[in-house]
Amino acid sequence: MGLFDGMDQMGLKKISQEDLFKADEPAKKGAPAAAEVKAKPTITEESYLLERTMDCPVCGSKFKVKAVKSGRVRRIGQDKDLRPRFEQMDTSKYDVVVCPECGYAAMTRDFKNIMEPQKKLVLENIKPGFKYEEPGSIYSYDDAIKRYQIALVNAMTCGRKDSEKAYLCLKMGWVIRGKGESLDKEAEDYEAQLKKCNDDENEALKLAFDGFIAARQKEEFPMAGMEQSTLDYLLSVLSMRFDRYDIAAKLVTGILGSRVAGPKIKDLARDLKEEIVEHQKAKEEG
Ligand SMILES: [Zn+2]
């Protein structure tokens, strides 16, 4: 008889002596160090959140989601691809609403925006067998990634616009980047986990890139809330990331020559232009 025998009968994972004092160790390959990722921000992050009651437009049930209190977090900058950074927390984790009853999910701003035929599609294709529990306190990065996945499945099921699906992929990529940044550098498998995050982020952003390129050929601006100059700037950054400097150069030239693009986006585009020139030079020199 071991001290921890019988735990499985209560539906709990058996604890081994070895594991007991190694709480920091990530559970399994592929899985995030969930407990750890959560542990650090809990105290502060929770105080910037509120619970919002939502009415599901698809199944009519009421449920609670966590949302960031407006005006409480301070924006301190952005990544090159426009991912916003806030001093207190990563707000992108809280931008998807999931109905735990029927599985309908969308970005908060689009949640109410669903037509009757699409509701039927959700009820027929997503609701059967859907199992989801709203996380208890804060959303860990893995909770958030899961929420974006559910939203993406919904967007596909409902035939949402390419720009909307691309935007979900972009945001998911940002959240995965956040996860990579939050990993415990002391963890034994830190390198492996970071590599997985980088790979996943690349995959999400490549989907966003392809989706926005497709959308740009058939949809009207604004697209996913972005004016043309903003989207073209974002696409330039993504083009460079995926080694399509030809596309980036064309888009940047368009932004710099645009009469409607604002001075801020032109400044950003100018920085990109320099990078593109550097890249071409390096390539020629070889
Ligand atoms: Zn619902």
Side-chain angles (χ1 to χ4, degrees), residues 56 58-59 61 99 101-102 104:
C56 178
V58 172
C59 72
S61 69
C99 170
E101 288 302 318
C102 70
Y104 170 56

Side-chain angles (χ1 to χ4, degrees), residues 75 78-83 174 221 225-237 248 251-274 276:
R75 189 168 169 145
Q78 65 186 20
D79 291 352
K80 207 164 143 192
D81 62 5
L82 306 176
R83 173 191 174 219
W174 289 350
F221 286 101
M226 286 180 276
E227 294 300 337
Q228 180 168 350
S229 53
T230 308
L231 179 68
D232 283 357
Y233 167 78
L234 173 66
L235 273 176
S236 310
V237 175
L251 289 168
V252 163
T253 305
I255 299 167
L256 293 175
S258 161
R259 264 187 260 172
V260 288
K264 263 190 199 162
I265 210 81
K266 284 197 175 183
D267 277 347
L268 290 172
R270 240 169 250 127
D271 292 343
L272 287 190
K273 191 178 177 182
E274 268 174 44
I276 295 168

Side-chain angles (χ1 to χ4, degrees), residues 143-177:
D143 291 332
I145 292 165
K146 212 184 281 172
R147 294 170 80 82
Y148 277 99
Q149 286 167 343
I150 302 170
L152 254 180
V153 170
N154 271 272
M156 286 163 70
T157 303
C158 295
R160 297 259 190 193
K161 288 183 193 161
D162 283 345
S163 61
E164 291 174 42
K165 287 184 276 185
Y167 194 63
L168 280 170
C169 293
L170 175 72
K171 299 269 305 189
M172 194 180 344
W174 289 350
V175 168
I176 296 167
R177 188 182 307 160

